[in-house]
Amino acid sequence: MRQVVEGMVAMIFVVVLCITGMDLLNVHNKAGQAKEFRNEVVSAALNSDYDGETLKLCREQAKEKDYELTILLYKTDGSSETYTDGEIEGDINEMQVILTYEVEIPALHTKMKQTISATT
């Protein structure tokens, strides 16, 4: 009887590990998708020479994917501003893309916000 109970406990432990492992793989997958989207935003901004319409489209795509996209624009005169779907005034020297996304690990009843960024 003892071996049966130990076997059942071992099986339950293995199942819990498998479920948690699958959740962690899902988190890793979401992180990869977020990094890919961030890189697409950076490429689009650079290829369009920081065009306001392109950045607006990127923000719309981020909303569709449930991401929070913040774009900080650093101008050649030394000032900086956060892009808010309008026209960009002045020459842009550098840009920082900050992407925030939410991940969930249901087995651990955990939700987390992760942030990744890139500077051009």
Side-chain angles (χ1 to χ4, degrees):
M1 185 68 176
R2 180 178 175 198
Q3 291 177 342
V4 172
V5 172
E6 287 176 355
M8 292 300 284
V9 169
M11 288 302 293
I12 291 171
F13 183 69
V14 168
V15 168
V16 168
L17 283 177
C18 288
I19 292 171
T20 304
M22 289 187 311
D23 287 344
L24 291 176
L25 286 174
N26 187 28
V27 168
H28 180 72
N29 186 32
K30 284 187 178 186
Q33 291 172 346
K35 286 178 185 177
E36 186 175 319
F37 181 75
R38 177 207 56 196
N39 293 340
E40 289 173 5
V41 170
V42 169
S43 295
L46 289 174
N47 291 337
S48 69
D49 197 28
Y50 306 108
D51 178 52
E53 288 297 316
T54 302
L55 296 180
K56 183 177 180 179
L57 180 64
C58 290
R59 286 177 46 92
E60 290 171 1
Q61 290 174 347
K63 285 180 186 176
E64 290 174 6
K65 296 182 181 211
D66 293 326
Y67 295 149
E68 295 174 26
L69 180 64
T70 305
I71 301 173
L72 301 174
L73 302 172
Y74 299 99
K75 299 183 178 184
T76 54
D77 63 1
S79 65
S80 65
E81 69 179 47
T82 301
Y83 177 73
T84 56
D85 295 342
E87 287 296 317
I88 299 173
E89 297 178 11
D91 293 329
I92 305 301
N93 186 34
E94 198 172 274
M95 175 183 80
Q96 183 177 12
V97 175
I98 303 168
L99 186 69
T100 303
Y101 60 98
E102 190 172 277
V103 293
E104 182 179 3
I105 304 175
L108 301 176
H109 303 289
T110 305
K111 284 187 179 182
M112 299 174 282
K113 284 196 172 192
Q114 300 289 319
T115 302
I116 54 175
S117 67
T119 304
T120 64

